[in-house]
Amino acid sequence: MKKRLINILFSKMMITAYIILFELFLIFLFVSFLSSISKLISLILKVFSVLMVIYVYNRNDNPSYKLAWTSVILALPTVGGVLYLLFGGKKVSKELRRIIARSNDDTKGIMLQEERLLEKLRRENIEAAKQANYLMKYAGYPCLSQTETTFIASGQQYYELMMEEIKKAEKFIFLEYFILEEGKMWNDILEVLCEKAKKGVDVRLIYDDVGCIVKLEDGYDAKINQMGIRCKVFNPIRARLAIQMNNRDHRKITVIDNKVGFTGGINLADEYMNIKEVYGHWRDQGIMLKGDAVASLTFMFLQFWDYGESVKSNFASYMTPYPGRDDGYVIPFSDAPTDDESVGQNVHLNIIHAAKEYIFIQTPYLILDNVVRDGLALASKNGVDVRIMVPYIPDKKLVNQVTKSNYEYLLESGVRIYEYTPGFVHAKTLISDDEFGVIGSINFDYRSYFLHFECGVWMYKSKAILDCRDDFLRTLDECHEITYQEYMKTNALVRILRSILNLFSPLL
């Protein structure tokens, strides 16, 4: 126990945290010192903070984000404005924006919409066509058919299907994950990847540095490269005050030969298969695609791989078409914090606003701004059966209190909330009316909507939607439904704490 504590205290993550906290302390000390030695400087800093509040209020930012920063600046009038300059404003570094914008320009015209298919969709359902049009115009991903969708109900099933498919690989295997951790799941997959690499298959891996900082040893990417697998670490964490440390690659993607693709909420670590128990039973889900729409996942990965590369990928050589069985309409899409378009949130909102009969949601976090919260409440008030499944056992206790802070308003509006009593819900799904669905990496929270790189699969009239619906309804028997009366019995001090946390939720 003592050795483990020492390892944690002196880990890369903790050392980075110590340095950043020390830098913050020095800034706070310096600003406080200046304001103490001169009333004029103190006045200037306070006036500057007021100007920052006016500036924040007039920015084209999410209202919850603006409110949180305004509260911080007003609570700390001497240093608040300085803190906003360091951590507020544009939440993505100019360098990262420039690299990604250039890469996007290089890949324009590769993913194109077949107008005949979109016209066919318009004739079937104008609402579905509107949603597809949005994703093509603002995310750059076309609506496709001839794609078989397979709903994946657990991490164990995800592992089994992935192992089965990567063993068939002949040309390439691309993997991009927020979390990897050595254990049965990742080690078994890695063994097959190494075998394939030795046979000349192009195997590439991207993993996020923050997601893996306590999971993998420092320099793990070099170890993987020595195995013949091309490996990159996304946005390596540095011990410096840099806001881009907030922008993480939260996507989960596997693509094999442009024939088969996987995505969802499942990372490659043993808790996702329930081999290792961390927060009770881990409930997670994903989707497997076979057919035309896999090309969008291939494109998604290669575009990300090419960020900062001097030699760009030959996309055409990787995107050989393999039409699948017709299973409705499918749009794999990605969302990035490097533009001003909140694609993930808008995809959710489009489905919520279009719902007529029901909306079923699974999410580990329910950290909502007014737009999504009011959308769900209004749908319920209109008579739509809105049900949300969240964890009973949380992974982050403070964040879970923010989730609970949204209960009162939603319950009062008729939304039904269920806590999954066996453990933790990590699935990220939204389905509606047996017609629309999204399965991917996007949580119902501020980070997923505005700070992280995310991905998902939008579907209309696909079999995976019905399978997800049936699984959701079966699982309600394992949940505890929170009633409005029960929630109102919560201790008043706890509810006050939740309200305060909710105010600052965009900054958590």
Side-chain angles (χ1 to χ4, degrees):
M1 182 68 182
K2 184 178 179 181
K3 184 179 179 182
R4 185 184 173 195
L5 180 61
I6 291 172
N7 288 337
I8 293 173
L9 290 174
F10 291 95
S11 65
K12 177 184 174 182
M13 180 184 72
M14 292 306 297
I15 291 172
T16 302
Y18 299 149
I19 294 172
I20 290 175
L21 286 172
F22 182 65
E23 290 173 340
L24 277 172
F25 173 73
L26 288 179
I27 290 170
F28 186 84
L29 202 65
F30 179 68
V31 173
S32 298
F33 173 73
L34 286 178
S35 62
S36 67
I37 62 172
S38 169
K39 290 184 178 180
L40 178 61
I41 292 175
S42 178
L43 179 62
I44 290 171
L45 288 170
K46 289 175 181 177
V47 170
F48 177 69
S49 288
V50 171
L51 293 175
M52 281 293 100
V53 168
I54 297 170
Y55 173 72
V56 170
Y57 179 80
N58 286 282
R59 279 184 56 82
N60 186 28
D61 268 331
N62 180 271
S64 297
Y65 186 77
K66 293 196 289 187
L67 178 60
W69 267 113
T70 299
S71 300
V72 169
I73 296 170
L74 292 177
L76 302 169
T78 305
V79 297
V82 176
L83 288 175
Y84 180 79
L85 282 181
L86 289 169
F87 295 107
K90 290 290 184 182
K91 297 171 284 299
V92 181
S93 72
K94 289 182 180 179
E95 180 185 7
L96 188 57
R97 282 178 179 270
R98 179 180 53 79
I99 291 171
I100 293 177
R102 188 171 63 226
S103 181
N104 290 344
D105 288 340
D106 292 341
T107 54
K108 277 181 180 175
I110 294 176
M111 303 302 293
L112 299 174
Q113 178 64 61
E114 184 185 342
E115 281 302 321
R116 187 174 60 177
L117 181 66
L118 196 58
E119 183 56 39
K120 181 173 179 284
L121 181 58
R122 283 192 194 100
R123 291 194 298 269
E124 291 184 26
N125 187 313
I126 189 64
E127 180 58 46
K130 285 163 56 180
Q131 294 185 34
N133 183 70
Y134 170 78
L135 279 168
M136 183 65 233
K137 191 172 181 181
Y138 291 97
Y141 290 91
C143 180
L144 298 160
S145 60
Q146 300 300 311
T147 302
E148 182 180 357
T149 65
T150 301
F151 170 68
I152 301 174
S154 68
Q156 179 68 34
Q157 185 187 5
Y158 193 90
Y159 160 80
E160 291 169 359
L161 287 171
M162 187 185 294
M163 286 288 284
E164 180 183 335
E165 296 299 333
I166 62 175
K167 287 176 181 177
K168 300 175 188 174
E170 298 175 348
K171 297 178 181 178
F172 67 83
I173 305 169
F174 298 155
L175 301 99
E176 180 182 339
Y177 284 86
F178 182 59
I179 292 174
L180 303 177
E181 185 176 21
E182 292 188 328
K184 177 173 175 55
M185 188 178 195
W186 171 235
N187 292 351
D188 286 356
I189 292 170
L190 182 59
E191 184 179 347
V192 179
L193 296 178
C194 289
E195 290 173 6
K196 290 294 179 180
K198 288 175 184 176
K199 293 178 181 178
V201 175
D202 181 3
V203 184
R204 306 189 200 182
L205 169 68
I206 301 172
Y207 66 85
D208 186 82
D209 199 30
V210 168
C212 297
I213 196 167
V214 296
K215 306 286 187 181
L216 300 176
E217 61 189 278
D218 198 21
Y220 188 76
D221 56 321
K223 179 179 174 180
I224 294 295
N225 276 300
Q226 288 173 0
M227 296 176 182
I229 297 169
R230 298 167 70 185
C231 182
K232 285 187 176 183
V233 182
F234 178 77
N235 198 5
I237 192 164
R238 300 283 185 261
R240 57 192 173 94
L241 291 172
I243 191 62
Q244 66 264 32
M245 291 299 106
N246 253 335
N247 305 126
R248 309 316 316 172
D249 180 8
H250 195 243
R251 309 190 318 185
K252 291 93 176 162
I253 299 171
T254 296
V255 193
I256 302 147
D257 292 347
N258 205 50
K259 292 181 179 180
V260 185
F262 295 83
T263 190
I266 300 161
N267 286 298
L268 306 183
D270 282 356
E271 61 260 37
Y272 295 84
M273 291 173 62
N274 284 294
I275 293 174
K276 181 173 72 173
E277 185 174 300
V278 287
Y279 307 108
H281 185 271
W282 192 287
R283 176 175 171 80
D284 219 328
Q285 297 181 339
I287 188 167
M288 179 175 72
L289 305 178
K290 289 186 177 182
D292 282 354
V294 177
S296 295
L297 291 174
T298 303
F299 173 84
M300 211 178 287
F301 177 91
L302 287 172
Q303 190 183 50
F304 219 67
W305 182 271
D306 280 359
Y307 291 165
E309 290 287 307
S310 55
V311 179
K312 303 299 181 182
S313 300
N314 179 1
F315 283 75
S317 66
Y318 292 97
M319 300 177 74
T320 306
Y322 295 99
R325 180 175 63 85
D326 192 11
D327 182 16
Y329 298 84
V330 181
I331 310 177
F333 66 92
S334 65
D335 188 14
T338 51
D339 55 31
D340 296 319
E341 193 65 30
S342 306
V343 173
Q345 185 184 54
N346 287 337
V347 168
H348 284 169
L349 284 170
N350 276 340
I351 294 177
I352 291 167
H353 293 324
K356 298 179 180 66
E357 297 179 11
Y358 75 80
I359 298 167
F360 295 163
I361 293 168
Q362 295 179 93
T363 179
Y365 317 114
L366 196 62
I367 303 175
L368 309 175
D369 63 9
N370 284 2
V371 177
V372 178
R373 192 182 67 170
D374 289 347
L376 291 168
L378 181 59
S380 180
K381 290 174 181 178
N382 286 340
V384 177
D385 179 9
V386 183
R387 307 191 195 193
I388 304 172
M389 189 183 299
V390 293
Y392 176 75
I393 302 176
D395 64 335
K396 302 176 182 71
K397 291 184 179 180
L398 279 180
V399 175
N400 185 250
Q401 292 302 316
V402 180
T403 288
K404 291 178 185 294
S405 72
N406 285 289
Y407 282 9
E408 182 178 351
Y409 180 77
L410 292 173
L411 290 169
E412 194 174 24
S413 302
V415 175
R416 301 176 71 179
I417 298 173
Y418 298 81
E419 292 184 345
Y420 179 65
T421 53
F424 184 63
V425 175
H426 193 255
K428 303 103 169 39
T429 67
L430 166 61
I431 55 172
S432 172
D433 297 350
D434 293 354
E435 291 187 332
F436 295 104
V438 176
I439 298 175
S441 67
I442 307 164
N443 296 318
F444 276 71
D445 71 359
Y446 188 88
R447 286 192 164 274
S448 273
Y449 286 153
F450 304 108
L451 296 178
H452 289 167
F453 294 85
E454 302 282 3
C455 66
V457 177
W458 175 94
M459 295 167 285
Y460 172 69
K461 288 290 189 181
S462 297
K463 182 178 180 294
I465 297 168
L466 304 180
D467 292 337
C468 185
R469 174 205 65 190
D470 293 344
D471 180 82
F472 183 95
L473 290 172
R474 280 194 300 269
T475 307
L476 293 181
D477 291 337
E478 302 177 69
C479 297
H480 171 66
E481 183 174 2
I482 306 296
T483 64
Y484 181 75
Q485 291 74 19
E486 178 184 342
Y487 180 80
M488 294 308 291
K489 292 178 183 176
T490 305
N491 183 285
L493 290 176
V494 172
R495 289 168 59 191
I496 291 170
L497 172 64
R498 289 173 181 173
S499 299
I500 294 170
L501 290 172
N502 195 29
L503 174 63
F504 296 103
S505 59
L507 310 181
L508 294 177

